[in-house]
Amino acid sequence: MGLLDSLALGFDTAFTPVNLLFCLIGVALGTAVGVLPGIGPTATMALLLPITFGFEPSTSLIMLAGIYYGAQYGGSTTAILINLPGESSAAVTAIDGHEMAKQGRAGKALATAALGSFFAGSVATLFVALLATPLSRLALNFGPAELASLILLGLIASITLASGSTLKALAMIVLGLLLGTVGQDIATGTPRFTFGQRELYDGLDFVSLAVGLFGVAEILRNLEGSMVRSVVVKKVQDLWLRKEDYRRIRMPVLRGTALGSALGVLPGAGHVLASFMSYSTEKRAAKNPQEFGRGAIEGVAGPESANNAAAQTSFIPLLTLGLPANAVMALLVGALIIQGIVPGPDVINEEPEVFWGLIVSFWIGNLFLLLLNLPLIGLWVKMLTIPYRWLFPAIIGFAAIGTFSINLNAFDVYAIAFFALLGYGLIKLGCEPAPLLLGFVLGPLLEENVRRALTISQGDATTFVTRPLSLTLLVLAVVAFFVAVLPAVRRKREVVFVEDDDGPHPPQPAQAGTRDGASRP
């Protein structure tokens, strides 16, 4: 099936009334959680996972994906209006966007962010569509040994590109791998780490783990703050850009789109890295770099284009290889598994409606976001005044009921409480839970492929190093690990978003940290 035929199939799937409705719901929810400090896309997607259990696979993925890239739009609104980035990737937008708002140019900053995001998201979606088929065909040639080595490389690379302590990130991955082994051995049926609890024989429930670790734990952390917000601009006017504005944002949008499309496929915080690198690039390319930090429209156009392009291309490893690049993609893997779909390169052939329907929905979702963000900006501004104390009890109750409804098992609700406390404790210890989720999702896949590779080779462990592609991937994994632990590289990684002494220093995201579960600058 050619690309045009595939896209036609995708349009047929995405343009059904129910999928259009849930695409709209997804991007609207994403915008709302991006605007509202207190809960991010990862937590929101985790909390909504129980509901998607009853949906068609395409509907479920379209809505969840819409929440993710919709939040990239919404995060810029709070960054510009109240200097409080809703998302870590929008932190750099606040530098010049908020200055523009204080100068009475909030409308232009918001319009620049929306138009740049729409253009970048549309181009990046085309990029995903063009690469999906050839990469999936390439991945189909992978054997179990290559897949095991690729998964290992993905886990190590996520450490390298994440901020914070390398040791803690590695510990979180190992903990995730251990949690993934709970339950009966798939080959022998032997119980592992079940402690005599029959509820654990089928393994830990992904939904309970995701809801507790990300959703409820994030709420507990946010309750520590006062959540008092001061909206600098209560009424936004003059959303139309002039010819001079278009001339100034043209090249930053193009460069941001290219950077975001390329960096989005990297494991970890590709969208965060893209926005900060775009800011640095625009500052270097500007004729008047002294304007940056004082309301330069280029400082909004480039990063906003970059983070939205990256949000779209971060789907490439998931759609073509079945490998999640970050915690959000790991949640989508969980959504696929809940729907009975095995993530991997076979999805494009076995579930073409789901695959191409999701890709086409990116275009539709980006169009919805453009229509939602500019005309309804007044509504988003008003949402900033909602006290958080009114939201969290309903969210927790909603999550508990939704999780219980899947299996009608009270144990799943207890599991939410356990993982919520675990997630909160990890946050207080400075450990990001995102690598844990990656380890939990990829652990069973790694074990399965290692076992299959050893079975095929009749127990010969050298099969992983005698196959050229597998050996290459393992060498890359070793190199990535040593890059991560080298002191000089580690220090550089901790300040990766700071170009130089007077480079972009982002303001702190909401509640002293990011809310997307990917990484924090």
Side-chain angles (χ1 to χ4, degrees), residues 17 54 203 301 325 377 386 443 447 487 496 514:
I377 189 63
I386 299 176
E447 180 185 4
V496 66
T514 65

Side-chain angles (χ1 to χ4, degrees), residues 237-457:
Q237 296 176 322
D238 193 16
L239 288 166
W240 296 104
L241 298 180
R242 295 187 174 85
K243 187 176 180 180
E244 173 63 14
D245 298 321
Y246 283 113
R247 187 191 65 76
R248 291 184 62 175
I249 69 171
R250 183 178 55 201
M251 292 309 296
V253 167
L254 290 174
R255 284 191 288 262
T257 302
L259 264 175
S261 298
L263 296 176
V265 299
L266 296 176
H271 61 303
V272 182
L273 191 63
S275 63
F276 280 80
M277 285 194 68
S278 173
Y279 189 91
S280 299
T281 302
E282 294 313 318
K283 188 176 178 181
R284 287 177 177 172
K287 291 181 180 177
N288 300 306
Q290 67 275 10
E291 291 183 7
F292 278 72
R294 298 181 175 85
I297 196 169
E298 295 90 343
V300 176
E304 279 302 303
S305 304
N307 68 37
N308 278 277
Q312 305 291 2
T313 56
S314 63
F315 284 87
I316 289 178
L318 171 66
L319 294 176
T320 59
L321 303 173
L323 290 179
N326 50 49
V328 171
M329 296 300 124
L331 286 171
L332 288 176
V333 168
L336 283 171
I337 294 172
I338 288 172
Q339 297 286 348
I341 298 174
V342 179
D346 288 330
V347 173
I348 192 171
N349 295 318
E350 295 178 357
E351 303 285 347
E353 296 87 359
V354 175
F355 187 93
W356 291 105
L358 177 62
I359 289 179
V360 170
S361 77
F362 294 163
W363 273 311
I364 300 171
N366 274 283
L367 182 60
F368 281 152
L369 284 168
L370 189 63
L371 298 175
L372 282 173
N373 274 264
L374 292 182
L376 300 180
I377 189 63
L379 173 65
W380 305 125
V381 172
K382 287 182 180 178
M383 285 185 63
L384 289 170
T385 61
I386 299 176
Y388 189 65
R389 63 179 181 276
W390 293 0
L391 296 175
F392 81 87
I395 295 173
I396 292 179
F398 173 73
I401 294 171
T403 305
F404 175 77
S405 66
I406 295 178
N407 300 316
L408 299 179
N409 189 345
F411 184 82
D412 293 340
V413 181
Y414 300 144
I416 289 179
F418 172 77
F419 285 115
L421 293 175
L422 175 64
Y424 180 73
L426 292 176
I427 292 171
K428 301 303 290 183
L429 292 172
C431 300
E432 289 191 50
L436 188 156
L437 188 67
L438 286 176
F440 180 76
V441 170
L442 292 177
L445 294 175
L446 179 63
E447 180 185 4
E448 179 185 348
N449 282 289
V450 167
R451 183 169 289 179
R452 287 173 59 195
L454 291 175
T455 302
I456 293 172
S457 66

Side-chain angles (χ1 to χ4, degrees), residues 88 157-170 172 267-270 272-273 430-435 484 489-497 513-514 516-521:
S88 51
S158 67
I159 299 174
T160 308
L161 295 173
S163 60
S165 166
T166 302
L167 186 61
K168 289 179 179 177
L170 183 61
M172 289 299 97
V272 182
L273 191 63
C431 300
E432 289 191 50
V489 176
R490 190 176 67 247
R491 287 193 296 271
K492 183 67 177 176
R493 188 166 54 85
E494 290 170 353
V495 292
V496 66
F497 301 122
T514 65
D516 59 2
S519 67
R520 59 192 66 181

Side-chain angles (χ1 to χ4, degrees), residues 40 48 97 104 146 171 211 217 235 266 315 332 452 472 477 486 489:
L48 289 176
E146 286 80 8
V211 170
K235 189 174 181 180
L266 296 176
F315 284 87
L332 288 176
R452 287 173 59 195
T472 303
L486 283 175
V489 176

Side-chain angles (χ1 to χ4, degrees), residues 503-518:
H505 294 265
Q508 286 299 307
Q511 295 304 298
T514 65
R515 298 179 293 115
D516 59 2

